[in-house]
Amino acid sequence: MVCASNTTYGHQQLENFLLDPTYLNFNHGSFGAVARPVLDAQHNYVLQQEARPDIWFRETYKTLIVETREKISKECGLVNADNLVLLENASAAVNAIFRSLSLQRGDIFVYFSTAYGMVKHTAAWLEVDKGIKILEVPVTVPITSVQSLLDPMKNALDDLSPEEKAKVKVATFSHISSVPAFIEPIKELASLVKSVNPNALVLIDGAHAIGQIKVDIPALGDIDYYLSNAHKWLYAPKGSAFLWTNPEQIDTVRPQPSVISSENDVSGGTDYLTRFGYTGTKDFTAYLSISDSLDFRHSLEEVNGEGSIIDYSTSLAEWAGDHLVEQWKTSRLSPKEFEAALFNVILPTTDYELATKMQTDLLNDHGIYMLALLDEESGIVFTRLSSQIYLEKADFVKLGDLVLEYLSPRK
Ligand SMILES: Cc1ncc(COP(=O)(O)O)c(C=O)c1O
């Protein structure tokens, strides 16, 4: 069973990760970081795969994938694993669903302006290929309350004619958006969409969710699809994600993976789990390591308390946000309640070019990786930071001081 070699949160956790000791990572969110014992476990799977290839692909992998699906389903509050499949990333999950939908010319696809680029690109492909219409609802920052999201969505849907309302066929929301990062009121947003057309399908892009916040799929209300990356916040290897499909949609929409394999008889004979379970010969070991990343986390939480990984990262983020706002004399982009380990702070400059130069200089001079970002509509220059169990308050104090130094007029 995979377990952590060191259980103390803070810099001692660096022992459990492979991060370069001279690299200070404030952007865990983009690509995650695999835990060392989890990567070792994955390597072990690779050795088994290469030692007896046929036994691996025909037997061992097929047994282990069932166990992994069961474990991650339980983690997400699901009573069984019948509707959850593993795939390589959130992009594959979004593509699988959207490209399986039987949409007609003029059908409407709804999302916020803060939807991830890949989601917008997939919708744009449907626009070109099938003639669907996109309803992009603008989100204005800073966000001040839950109404900052619910009101624009409600107004945009209310403005549609009765004919258009009937054509709202699909909507997608991020559980935690990417840039800027904030937790969205999923349940309320999904019911707004369904109040316009009860048959509309709602997909939740939870790419940033599992491991950063508690994910309880049944508690999210009337949604049709949920997906999350394990390689971002769960400490699993790159190329590990899951997709849950509401059982009601499995037979009607029949989602197909992006790759249709030799084990997938698309004439109707192959079930959902098999379709996604084998997508041609490739290394599936990252999928199986989701199970090891859960064991790794449980070994830390056995010592530090249930939920302590999320608690540590969220409270460090909250403290860091307060500290930076006070030091930089700026503000957050959304209230604390909208943030977990990912948080956005306005930088003490309006000069985006200077901020991006600072991003480069911080990396070159100090090995610090932080993102400098621009909200084009408001002109606000901000950073989206990630807290993690391998970071401490001192790291954010250092960042705060350096940012002021680099953005001061002398630089
Ligand atoms: C909200 C959101 N959705 C989807 C993705 C895509 O994830 P992946 O690159 O693993 O497919 C990201 C990546 O950062 C994201 O932030």
Side-chain angles (χ1 to χ4, degrees), residues 126 157 179 193 215 236 264 282 311 313 351 376 388 399 404:
L126 294 174
L157 293 171
V179 177
V193 171
V215 171
N264 186 350
K282 66 171 194 173
D311 290 348
S313 303
D351 184 343
E376 282 180 7
Q388 248 314 329
L399 178 71
L404 281 188

Side-chain angles (χ1 to χ4, degrees), residues 112-334:
F112 278 128
S113 55
T114 45
Y116 190 65
M118 165 274 295
V119 170
K120 293 186 183 184
H121 290 161
T122 310
W125 182 83
L126 294 174
E127 189 178 31
V128 171
D129 192 59
K130 299 198 170 169
I132 64 147
K133 285 190 182 155
I134 292 172
L135 175 59
E136 177 173 314
V137 178
V139 171
T140 306
V141 296
I143 290 165
T144 50
S145 76
V146 82
Q147 295 313 129
S148 307
L149 295 168
L150 295 181
D151 288 349
M153 184 54 64
K154 185 170 186 320
N155 294 340
L157 293 171
D158 282 351
D159 284 349
L160 297 174
S161 68
E163 295 74 33
E164 286 172 320
K165 283 181 180 164
K167 287 191 171 174
V168 171
K169 293 290 170 62
V170 53
T172 180
F173 302 106
S174 308
H175 200 169
I176 303 178
S177 56
S178 178
V179 177
F182 49 79
I183 301 168
E184 298 187 7
I186 296 307
K187 210 171 172 175
E188 294 81 353
L189 288 166
S191 63
L192 272 180
V193 171
K194 302 246 173 171
S195 70
V196 164
N197 180 2
N199 296 324
L201 298 169
V202 175
L203 176 141
I204 304 305
D205 172 4
H208 276 288
I210 190 87
Q212 184 182 175
I213 56 174
K214 178 88 190 124
V215 171
D216 184 348
I217 295 177
L220 290 172
D222 195 1
I223 63 166
D224 299 284
Y225 309 97
Y226 188 93
L227 58 100
S228 188
N229 278 328
H231 54 227
K232 278 192 191 291
W233 295 88
L234 209 66
Y235 311 138
K238 310 283 178 279
S240 57
F242 68 84
L243 163 69
W244 170 84
T245 300
N246 187 319
E248 283 173 29
Q249 302 306 338
I250 288 187
D251 292 330
T252 45
V253 174
R254 294 191 55 75
Q256 288 288 352
S258 307
V259 172
I260 293 178
S261 77
S262 59
E263 293 192 4
N264 186 350
D265 172 7
V266 290
S267 63
T270 310
D271 65 34
Y272 168 71
L273 298 180
T274 311
R275 294 200 292 272
F276 282 87
Y278 185 75
T279 47
T281 310
K282 66 171 194 173
D283 188 343
F284 292 100
T285 58
Y287 297 8
L288 306 181
S289 303
I290 295 176
S291 167
D292 303 295
S293 66
L294 290 170
D295 289 345
F296 170 78
R297 293 171 73 91
H298 291 155
S299 76
L300 286 172
E301 301 210 7
E302 227 167 58
V303 177
N304 296 295
E306 207 186 318
S308 55
I309 296 176
I310 290 176
D311 290 348
Y312 179 91
S313 303
T314 305
S315 36
L316 179 59
E318 195 176 328
W319 180 90
D322 287 345
H323 170 78
L324 295 174
V325 158
E326 197 187 318
Q327 188 183 22
W328 295 345
K329 300 190 176 23
T330 60
S331 55
R332 285 181 157 82
L333 273 191
S334 50

